[in-house]
Amino acid sequence: MEEPDKDHRKAIITFLAFVIIAVIVVAAVAASPKKQNASTSASVGTGTGTTPSSTTGSSAGSGTATDASFKDGSYAATGSYESPGGHQQITVHVTLRDGVITDTSAISGAQDPESQEYQSMFIGGYKSQVVGKNIADVHVSRVSGSSLTSQGFNDAISQIENQAKA
Amino acid sequence: MMLSVKSKTRPKLRAAGHAWQFDAIGTKWWISLFEAIDDARLASIRRDVHKRIESFDKTYSRFRPDSLVTKMSQKAGKYRLPADSGVLFALYKALYDATDGAVTPLIGDLLIAAGYDAEYSLEPKELQTPPAWDEAISYGHNVLTVKRPAMLDFGAAGKGYLVDLVARVLKAHGLTGFCIDAGGDMLVRGRADMRIGLEHPDNPEQVIGIATLANQAIAGSAGNRRAWAGYHHILDPYKLASPVAVKAAWVAADSALLADGLATALFFVAPEVLRRQFAFEYLLINSENKYKCSPGFPAELF
């Protein structure tokens, strides 16, 4: 069996990704005209089975079933598309077995249309030090940080502290 | 415990609405609904939320002797997982690949050896690098094949995912505006004036800035609370130590699953690398308390 050439494989995977994305977009647009609907985590065809039966499976499967030189395994591809809400990016994972897609999943994230610097990726290194303000002095609804722990963990920590003191 | 949210005590929340809090999956939850609903409907919503959390916990918690992952840790074989597992495993595999195996669900035995076990013994024993993904497990069609028994741990992204799943329960009840806060990892739907304080990594009494969320999730990770004997809840499976270069990480993303998982991944991999594959905004604080954040991170820092 010949090792498929990398570019060729990449092209096919990109194609698969776009096929899947197209299905997601169509589904999302059909489901609702609101842009946010296209943006949540989605699982496409998870559990489709080894015989492609859904639209996703058969579109993508026909591209590979004839090409048995693909190695079994998981592949990932990231694709972009334009939605009514702007530019969207999605990562699609495809599992191949005997040249057939056996599983796909998609992790998508809508881009904030206000965020124009997305592609720049990066704004330099670490800047100045953070400044803390007392929670009592600022107006907040909730606090996010290290996850609050349950009583069980807190009890264990205080037990250990007590043992250390003893 | 249920409390009606009054505008006096929580000025930014609407007078109409309900909030309740509870302990589950090892953290404190707070759920706020932004609309007024009658008691019968509220009772039914709360029942479904708690049922959802219970079924997730019974599948994925390594802290429960009766959970599916505890069973998997005892015997090799094929295990059927619920339909929600596809997205969870896909995200874990993506994070595993993106971090060269540093973020792995196979970290459970290492956390236990370090003392983060079901009894919270917090007594470190001999630590070993966990097996590689392909050596230990394979996932497909809601079935996990456990090739060699290992304790799986979904601490990196499980909580965020459960927040998403609870949001789905609320949506199924017709709710469009709510905030689900699971110990600081939260999802907001339907409003833009939730002000989320970002906890100072050295001082839980302080915040370093305020994030404003609408239709977004945020998750934070820091080593200051779940810390013991030189470790915290994130362990580097190769160095067998907790990462120290990053002190705290926050991620804003569309789903709490993504936000939670990436907040852990940022302890191992530079954000520029992860942003090639995942869509998110971030804020990082390093060991010198200096910060770095993406231009779109929805917060004002002091």
Side-chain angles (χ1 to χ4, degrees), chain B residues 118-139:
Chain B
E119 289 82 36
Y120 299 129
S121 77
L122 308 182
E123 283 173 16
K125 298 170 195 74
E126 196 191 331
L127 306 188
Q128 276 188 341
T129 295
W133 183 294
D134 290 339
E135 282 170 32
I137 51 171
S138 75
Y139 178 90

Side-chain angles (χ1 to χ4, degrees), chain A residues 18 21 25 29 38 79-89 111 119:
Chain A
F18 277 95
I21 287 160
V25 172
V29 168
S80 306
Y81 61 96
E82 296 298 325
S83 81
H87 185 74
Q88 312 286 345
Q89 198 176 38
Q111 186 197 339
Q119 292 302 332

Side-chain angles (χ1 to χ4, degrees), chain A:
Chain A
M1 204 175 279
E2 241 176 87
E3 181 71 19
D5 115 19
K6 263 194 173 164
D7 286 336
H8 181 215
R9 182 192 290 178
K10 208 173 167 187
I12 297 274
I13 292 167
T14 307
F15 164 71
L16 297 184
F18 277 95
V19 168
I20 292 162
I21 287 160
V23 173
I24 294 166
V25 172
V26 168
V29 168
S32 164
K34 285 179 195 162
K35 65 174 174 144
Q36 288 296 344
N37 281 32
S39 67
T40 46
S41 295
S43 171
V44 181
T46 301
T48 299
T50 46
T51 313
S53 53
S54 72
T55 315
T56 307
S58 50
S59 312
S62 62
T64 53
T66 52
D67 188 348
S69 63
F70 277 102
K71 276 168 75 175
D72 288 0
S74 297
Y75 301 89
T78 299
S80 306
Y81 61 96
E82 296 298 325
S83 81
H87 185 74
Q88 312 286 345
Q89 198 176 38
I90 190 164
T91 299
V92 176
H93 294 260
V94 175
T95 304
L96 288 179
R97 195 164 300 145
D98 300 325
V100 175
I101 291 181
T102 57
D103 202 7
T104 66
S105 62
I107 297 151
S108 78
Q111 186 197 339
D112 176 0
E114 312 283 317
S115 171
Q116 295 162 353
E117 290 175 88
Y118 181 78
Q119 292 302 332
S120 73
M121 298 281 188
F122 170 54
I123 51 158
Y126 286 89
K127 294 191 288 196
S128 48
Q129 286 202 325
V130 295
V131 176
K133 284 189 185 174
N134 289 330
I135 292 176
D137 299 337
V138 291
H139 171 76
V140 294
S141 309
R142 308 298 303 164
V143 172
S144 169
S146 55
S147 298
L148 291 173
T149 48
S150 63
Q151 201 53 47
F153 188 89
N154 298 343
D155 289 350
I157 286 285
S158 30
Q159 272 180 25
I160 285 173
E161 282 169 1
N162 290 338
Q163 283 164 14
K165 280 178 205 155

Side-chain angles (χ1 to χ4, degrees), chain B residues 91-242:
Chain B
L91 192 267
Y92 263 94
K93 188 62 168 68
L95 292 176
Y96 181 88
D97 292 340
T99 61
D100 286 330
V103 175
T104 171
L106 293 157
I107 199 81
D109 288 315
L110 181 58
L111 285 165
I112 290 167
Y116 196 20
D117 51 41
E119 289 82 36
Y120 299 129
S121 77
L122 308 182
E123 283 173 16
K125 298 170 195 74
E126 196 191 331
L127 306 188
Q128 276 188 341
T129 295
W133 183 294
D134 290 339
E135 282 170 32
I137 51 171
S138 75
Y139 178 90
H141 320 126
N142 300 331
V143 172
L144 187 77
T145 304
V146 177
K147 299 172 193 170
R148 51 194 260 196
M151 182 61 97
L152 301 183
D153 174 89
F154 294 96
K159 178 148 60 77
Y161 190 39
L162 184 52
V163 168
D164 290 339
L165 295 174
V166 167
R168 238 180 258 177
V169 171
L170 299 182
K171 271 187 211 159
H173 275 274
L175 297 167
T176 53
F178 49 81
C179 173
I180 302 165
D181 177 359
D185 294 351
M186 61 192 94
L187 179 78
V188 177
R189 287 286 178 252
R191 59 193 280 172
D193 60 350
M194 285 290 293
R195 287 162 57 90
I196 315 296
L198 305 172
E199 184 186 274
H200 195 298
D202 296 337
N203 182 356
E205 305 292 309
Q206 290 195 332
V207 290
I208 57 155
I210 294 173
T212 307
L213 289 191
N215 291 315
Q216 228 178 354
I218 192 167
S221 200
N224 60 325
R225 271 193 220 266
R226 287 167 203 254
W228 71 96
Y231 300 107
H232 60 72
H233 68 293
I234 299 173
L235 280 176
D236 185 320
Y238 304 115
K239 294 180 183 157
L240 304 178
S242 289

